[in-house]
Amino acid sequence: MIKNITCVILTKNSARNIENIRNVYHLFEKIVIVDDYSEDDTVKKIEEIDTEKRVKICRRKLDNFSSQRNYVSSLAETDWVFHLDSDERIDDMLIRELHMIDGNINNTYFIAFKIKRKNYFIDMHIGTEDKIRLFNKKKLYFRGEVHEDLDIKSEDKIGILKGAILHKSYQSIQDYFRKLVLYMKLEEERLKQSEKGWFYILGRLVKRTFEHFKTLIKNVIANKSFLKPLLWFCLCEAYDLLYFSIFLYVKYFKISN
């Protein structure tokens, strides 16, 4: 069992992903969970899994993802934290690597490790990205409100692990729209404070549409199908068009709740 790394998880109505949490329960000795006041049986099911009373569960209302992730990191007893979402799993290679580095991780000159995250949309692999999910919380922290990132400096030493995190965020279109509501609320609050102008937001929309189109072509080739990649493309565009609409709503109609 991994002892020098704390697995930290954010939850919100995550009962349907409880098997993912059950799997890491048998991998990490220390687990910290911060729950955004779930309305389902998330906390109850975690308590049922925690037969050895090793999981620290706290409740905190989500204001933005960076502060929520920084908060859950601060609750860890170890310097090293491994951030995992409730809709993610760890593959076998990554499990072996975590066991291998656990004993000496406090003596490493790295401050973090990059890990591949394989993203799936309704059982379709839509791409792989590098994410820093394992890091020393005394050296790094998150910034950004909706799509959070770590504050990495050019001189920071970052290691690379070969294993992967399997990210199955949307099991259905209903899952997508449930999360879309949350993201749009956060985007609205962020845009109220932003000084970004019309051309920046429009440029963002055009740039992201081009990136989504390139990914659409890759997904069609990789998955040898057209309909699911097209659905993914349409939903990504829906997100960006909603973002653009909220920008107009907040900045030009000057209506606030």
Side-chain angles (χ1 to χ4, degrees), residues 4 6 76-81 106 135-138:
N4 297 305
T6 299
E77 296 178 6
T78 60
D79 290 344
W80 282 84
V81 291
N106 290 318
F135 61 90
N136 188 323
K137 68 177 186 179
K138 291 185 175 180

Side-chain angles (χ1 to χ4, degrees), residues 17-80:
N17 294 319
I18 205 66
E19 286 304 310
N20 295 345
I21 297 174
R22 189 189 304 276
N23 288 340
V24 297
Y25 182 74
H26 300 291
L27 179 60
F28 291 90
E29 184 180 85
K30 301 178 181 66
I31 301 173
V32 178
I33 294 174
V34 170
D35 181 73
D36 179 19
Y37 292 92
S38 291
E39 298 166 349
D40 62 5
D41 293 335
T42 298
V43 173
K44 179 182 177 182
K45 288 181 177 294
I46 293 171
E47 290 173 342
E48 291 173 354
I49 291 172
D50 186 23
T51 55
E52 300 176 15
K53 307 301 179 186
R54 292 188 283 104
V55 180
K56 181 187 294 185
I57 305 175
C58 298
R59 285 186 169 91
R60 182 179 187 270
K61 186 66 179 175
L62 176 69
D63 47 2
N64 63 69
F65 283 107
S66 288
S67 62
Q68 198 83 334
R69 286 197 182 277
N70 290 332
Y71 178 72
V72 72
S73 291
S74 72
L75 298 177
E77 296 178 6
T78 60
D79 290 344
W80 282 84

Side-chain angles (χ1 to χ4, degrees), residues 112-125:
F113 289 87
K114 283 185 180 179
I115 301 170
K116 290 183 176 64
R117 185 171 75 161
K118 297 180 179 179
N119 297 308
Y120 293 83
F121 175 78
I122 313 180
D123 296 326
M124 178 185 69
H125 182 224

